[in-house]
Amino acid sequence: MAQTGLQVLVDDYANGLDCQRGAQKALGKNLTRLEYEWQRDVLSKDVTAAVINNLLPWLVLLSIILLTPLILLARWLRAAASRRTASQQAP
């Protein structure tokens, strides 16, 4: 009689395998992948949207931190160029 993946998993746990290795051996997938598929299939949850929603504030903060110095540098370069042009045009 062939064992199901769940039966193999229980046997592997009984034989001392940890959660990660037991799931990988019995079901052929790591726990992260199993959870993702479970949330997608059973809960009809769009995991990608949840990840984006969780990361969005951090992405906004990162873009502010990275863009502010670039904007300031561009303004400084533009002002320096206009000062140089003005000094070259002065008699």
Side-chain angles (χ1 to χ4, degrees), residues 44-63:
S44 299
K45 184 176 179 182
D46 185 6
V47 178
T48 305
V51 168
I52 291 171
N53 286 337
N54 288 337
L55 289 178
L56 188 61
W58 297 107
L59 292 174
V60 169
L61 181 63
L62 179 64
S63 62

Side-chain angles (χ1 to χ4, degrees), residues 2-79:
Q3 287 185 312
T4 65
L6 195 52
Q7 290 169 328
V8 173
L9 182 63
V10 170
D11 290 343
D12 287 342
Y13 287 163
N15 291 328
L17 281 180
D18 62 43
C19 290
Q20 287 290 342
R21 286 187 289 172
Q24 186 69 44
K25 182 176 178 259
L27 304 171
K29 298 175 184 175
N30 64 31
L31 288 178
T32 304
R33 187 73 187 161
L34 287 170
E35 182 180 11
Y36 169 79
E37 291 176 0
W38 172 74
Q39 288 182 357
R40 185 191 66 213
D41 296 341
V42 175
L43 300 177
S44 299
K45 184 176 179 182
D46 185 6
V47 178
T48 305
V51 168
I52 291 171
N53 286 337
N54 288 337
L55 289 178
L56 188 61
W58 297 107
L59 292 174
V60 169
L61 181 63
L62 179 64
S63 62
I64 290 170
I65 290 170
L66 292 177
L67 288 177
T68 301
L70 291 176
I71 291 169
L72 292 174
L73 178 64
R75 292 181 79 192
W76 181 79
L77 289 173
R78 194 175 309 150

Side-chain angles (χ1 to χ4, degrees), residues 86-91:
S87 68
Q88 290 174 352
Q89 291 177 353

